[in-house]
Amino acid sequence: MTTPSRSTAATAHPDLPGPGSVTWERMGRWATLSVGLRALVLQTAHPVVGAGVAEHSDFRDDFFPRFTRTLASTLRFVYGTPAEAAAEGRRLRALHARIRGTDHHGRPYRALDPQAYAWVHATLFEAVVALGPALPGVPPPPLVPALLWRVAWPPIARYAVRVTVPTLPPAYLDRLGLASTSTDTRRTSRFFARTARIDRLLTSRYRYLPAAAKARRQADTANALMARP
């Protein structure tokens, strides 16, 4: 029995993005990782998400493994089969069901709050569409010596923040008491212009993350077989 792909199951699962959609075209690109900090900042702006992350997440001490797991989960939603996407959804709901508490204002919260769930998805979509990681104290990624990372990370973090701030909505910048100067804006424009140039130079095989590239090859093969007379 053949497992249905996004392309062959499009009619049965009309709500799933598939080949040719904006989601498939952008979500799996290496360049899209450049909007990661923007998405994180906007997601935690929601009081429920912010409280849950502050009290239940280990991202400060486990950033790269945590980021890798989140990325794998997202790619499973987008590029996995309908069954894989549904299974990932059930896993995440079960994982978040036990995340609840009271924030520093005394307000109760729970991770499965529908508005908070919708906010996370909306900000991720917005960040990817806008196409534009870094927090102080992040442990080194695998295979990078700790001493080298301690020297390299501070300037990387500062630069990531500087190119992210101008991409945030003006109303949110006002709320945070931040300002974006013309110099900041030009720096950010140069960063994304360079990212776009590199993205255009890469072939489709190397433009996408491995899971996305594999799904796109499978979809192309399925479409080619269906197009045969």
Side-chain angles (χ1 to χ4, degrees):
M1 181 176 179
T2 303
T3 302
S5 66
R6 289 293 172 109
S7 55
T8 59
T11 302
H13 301 272
D15 295 330
L16 293 176
S21 66
V22 173
T23 303
W24 260 55
E25 289 301 313
R26 294 195 179 186
M27 184 64 75
R29 291 191 179 192
W30 286 100
T32 301
L33 298 181
S34 62
V35 302
L37 183 56
R38 172 193 170 93
L40 175 63
V41 170
L42 291 179
Q43 286 173 5
T44 54
H46 192 289
V48 170
V49 180
V53 169
E55 297 184 5
H56 297 273
S57 176
D58 59 353
F59 77 94
R60 292 184 181 87
D61 299 321
D62 195 33
F63 180 80
F64 283 102
R66 179 77 173 79
F67 175 77
T68 301
R69 293 193 296 270
T70 299
L71 180 61
S73 174
T74 303
L75 294 179
R76 206 169 292 127
F77 271 123
V78 178
Y79 298 102
T81 65
E84 290 170 339
E88 183 62 14
R90 291 192 296 271
R91 185 189 73 83
L92 285 180
R93 288 185 64 84
L95 179 67
H96 287 81
R98 61 177 180 267
I99 298 178
R100 57 183 65 221
T102 303
D103 67 16
H104 65 283
H105 292 295
R107 298 172 299 194
Y109 69 85
R110 61 188 183 93
L112 293 184
D113 178 283
Q115 290 186 352
Y117 237 62
W119 176 258
V120 169
H121 285 78
T123 52
L124 181 60
F125 171 82
E126 190 275 342
V128 172
V129 170
L131 193 56
L135 294 171
V138 172
L143 305 181
V144 176
L147 179 59
L148 174 61
W149 188 243
R150 283 198 297 272
V151 174
W153 181 249
I156 293 174
R158 288 193 296 270
Y159 184 77
V161 170
R162 286 171 180 167
V163 299
T164 297
V165 168
T167 72
L168 296 172
Y172 193 48
L173 288 176
D174 291 341
R175 189 72 178 268
L176 294 176
L178 297 176
S180 178
T181 67
S182 58
T183 300
D184 297 330
T185 301
R186 288 194 297 270
R187 181 191 297 112
T188 297
S189 296
R190 290 194 298 269
F191 169 75
F192 284 110
R194 288 193 294 267
T195 301
R197 284 197 295 271
I198 294 172
D199 182 74
R200 287 193 295 268
L201 289 173
L202 297 174
T203 64
S204 180
R205 177 180 178 182
Y206 297 105
R207 183 176 295 140
Y208 290 88
L209 294 157
K214 179 180 178 181
R216 291 172 62 85
R217 289 195 300 271
Q218 292 174 338
D220 289 343
T221 300
N223 291 333
L225 291 174
M226 293 176 63
R228 288 181 179 178

